[in-house]
Amino acid sequence: MQEPAITAELIASHGLSPDEYNSILEIVGREPTFTELGIFSAMWNEHCSYKSSKKWLRTLPTDGPQVICGPGENAGVVDIGDGQAVVFKMESHNHPSYIEPYQGAATGVGGILRDVFTMGARPVAAMNSLSFGEPGHHKTRQLVNGVVEGVGGYGNCFGVPTVGGEVRFDPAYNGNCLVNAFAAGLADADKIFYSAASGVGMPVVYLGAKTGRDGVGGATMASAEFDDTIEEKRPTVQVGDPFTEKRLMEATLELMATGAVISIQDMGAAGLTCSAVEMGDKGGLGVRLDLEKVPVRETAMTAYEMMLSESQERMLMVLRPEVEAQAKAVFDKWDLDFAIVGETIAEDRFLIMLDGMVKADLPLSKLASSAPEYDRPWIETPAAEALADVPEVDPIDGLKALLASPNYASKEWVYSQYDTMVMADTVRIPGIGAGIIRVHGTDKALAFTSDVTPRYVKANPVEGGKQAVAEAYRNLSAVGAVPLATTDNLNFGNPEKPEIMGQFVGAIKGIGEAVAALGMPIVSGNVSLYNETDGTAILPTPTIGAVGLIDHVDHIIGCDVRDGHVALVLGETIGHLGQSAILAEVFNRIEGDAPTVDLMQEKAHGDFVRENRDLIKACTDISDGGLALAAFEMAEGAGIGLCLDAGDTPTLFGEDQGRYLIACNFDQAEALMIAAGHAGLTLQSVGKFTGQTVRLGAASAPLEELSALYRRSFAEAVA
């Protein structure tokens, strides 16, 4: 095939600016070949190089005594004691999921699972954070159904329980949904596998499924805004096969146990290019690839296509040559491709051959280390205007407005499509706070949560960033877990717009401050920028995935709400209504500042809940929808009515931070009051759980009526 001429149009179509192309000319010393241009495009796009975000990501706290491996590998690794580690990460598959919802979401799940087992960990839990446009938008129903089916279709077949997540709707996502996938796995702390190649002349081995043309240019597509040519981008979306992935995992873990693996890397974004370059660069070595040896499922594939394909269920490995036959036997047993496609070399070269012809010959280190790094201009988000008066709302009418919204209605329609119990270690399924799994064969448990409130971040990026971490901290603390560490998935619009970059910088500052104060370092993550369509950006959505440890399953704070239990609120209620759910749902007003986050108070409250777990029968954090929604959800889950003393809007629906709702009997409430007094914390009785009626101040409604509304509203809106 005649390779196309390198023109300004071709360069631009590869997502490279004129200045970036000039840098390539300086590095190579000549005009690049078409394949070389594709390789630079893949390595230097936003999705792979983090060129707009690296400067700020470096400011995030990533260390702690519990951290075994922080950012930079396929996933983060955290010590959980007894020689065990939890391996976890969250990543986005936003652009593909908007173009092709089922496959986009499915391959997002597949990719994050590979990131985990590539480190030597067996996946044990999954979560997802989904953001869609307004329910009435013509695309929303299709996207919701396709994405949820894709997440369930892949995760269920692979056999990993989905234990948590979140779903939101806002007009800002009309043209660009978000699909953030999280996975966690367990491994022996001394048997973690890394991606840095070592040793000259070591065989580079291709593992897994065959390479096709699906996903060619996927990473570049994911680093660009959408416009009216979106349908043309469908071929850039990968196609997943969970049954192949399951076999790949078993074969990989079996191979790792033999001691044959020197280094290993998932083939994700930018496929063979990115995996080979990262392995070589981290090990200070060059790599030669002979592409005719790559297993393919389509005829006459070019070097360009093979290097940029993002076909799924593939790995790249550097192997100890003396165990080649043993390693191949493992993959033959699992009916997977095993092909030696190259070797490590001493020179700083990325040498790509096809049928004896040189298709690319580049300095390997420059592909990674010389990727552009921008200090984008940014404008601090202006302080929000003070909130104008908010009229009082009938408490029951206000609660009904929340329950009727797919944002706050039960998400059972979503998580009922996911397998939540496979592997038989799930302790708490989605729908009731943080998900919990038992650490198999031990008395320990791990808790998982995913949190962000995008409207807070837009109003006040610093406080919104802090709040996302603080809410994750509260969700873990509310089940009795000690928060260990976090992964972040930073979803923003076009960073070339100073106001968008200002949102990013502010959120990073808030997140950094919060993880430092709460002892939850960032150990992995993903940045997804250019989430815009026709110039309209999404809400800034820095999703925080967090993991906590419970030292014994008997120490889990349960959901045992009973008739007669006292309702207590830990933390001070001022009644902050700026950017609140009630303001948006009842008055259609997105106004005011985000609530402030007192990190020292957050820590003190979390410590108090965990230290007094024996006195607490049920606990939840108070966030979106305030006390009224938190108390209703707790009551509805137990099938018991509710009586709250307050009837005013700020007390019932305010979203002051740092607060927990606690249920317990009278004697336990008394003991908690004494303990809170000694600790100098605010803890007050706000009502009780009783009967079959929900009473808020003087207003009331049957629990049955409200429960039916809560349970059906989501499906009626978008299913």
Side-chain angles (χ1 to χ4, degrees), residues 50-129:
Y50 297 111
K51 58 191 177 188
S52 297
S53 58
K54 274 191 289 196
K55 170 184 165 72
W56 296 102
L57 295 176
R58 292 191 190 103
T59 67
L60 289 170
T62 58
D63 297 323
Q66 72 276 43
V67 178
I68 295 172
C69 175
E73 280 291 338
N74 287 292
V77 186
V78 175
D79 192 349
I80 60 169
D82 306 311
Q84 291 178 298
V86 59
V87 179
F88 63 96
K89 188 182 183 184
M90 182 175 264
E91 270 206 344
S92 61
H93 232 222
N94 304 336
H95 288 60
S97 298
Y98 189 78
I99 298 167
E100 201 342 285
Y102 184 96
Q103 290 296 349
T107 53
V109 174
I112 200 67
L113 289 168
R114 280 196 306 284
D115 280 338
V116 167
F117 69 74
T118 300
M119 301 287 293
R122 180 173 292 277
V124 293
M127 295 191 293
N128 52 83
S129 177

Side-chain angles (χ1 to χ4, degrees), residues 304-439:
Y304 178 96
E305 290 170 331
M306 282 191 271
M307 292 306 295
L308 297 190
S309 166
E310 294 182 11
S311 295
Q312 297 292 286
E313 293 83 45
R314 303 180 301 158
M315 316 272 269
L316 201 64
M317 178 181 74
V318 176
L319 179 73
R320 300 189 190 282
E322 65 272 16
V323 289
E324 179 190 325
Q326 186 181 354
K328 187 175 185 306
V330 170
F331 276 76
D332 287 347
K333 182 183 82 172
W334 288 100
D335 194 23
L336 291 164
D337 278 298
F338 176 102
I340 294 174
V341 296
E343 64 176 358
T344 58
I345 56 180
E347 301 90 358
D348 180 20
R349 291 173 77 188
F350 192 39
L351 180 60
I352 309 301
M353 308 290 293
L354 178 60
D355 297 326
M357 294 178 64
V358 177
K359 293 296 180 177
D361 189 356
L362 299 167
L364 187 145
S365 63
K366 298 292 184 183
L367 287 166
S369 63
S370 296
E373 183 173 330
Y374 296 123
D375 185 3
R376 301 274 191 202
W378 59 278
I379 298 170
E380 192 168 327
T381 302
E385 290 186 16
L387 180 63
D389 286 345
V390 179
E392 284 288 321
V393 178
D394 177 89
I396 294 297
D397 288 348
L399 181 59
K400 284 181 175 178
L402 295 178
L403 303 183
S405 165
N407 277 310
Y408 308 109
S410 167
K411 306 302 188 296
E412 189 173 8
W413 181 88
V414 176
Y415 61 75
S416 65
Q417 298 183 54
Y418 305 150
D419 192 334
T420 58
M421 300 302 290
V422 65
M423 303 181 83
D425 281 316
T426 303
V427 177
R428 186 173 296 184
I429 64 170
I432 42 176
I436 305 174
I437 64 152
R438 186 180 291 100
V439 177

Side-chain angles (χ1 to χ4, degrees), residues 395-396 399 403 628 631-633 635-636 640-644 688 690-707:
I396 294 297
L399 181 59
L403 303 183
F632 170 81
E633 289 178 340
E636 199 271 346
I640 296 168
L642 168 69
C643 181
L644 294 180
K688 62 180 180 179
T690 187
Q692 287 297 302
T693 299
V694 173
R695 186 176 298 279
L696 308 176
S700 66
L703 174 65
E704 186 179 13
E705 177 192 332
L706 297 176
S707 180

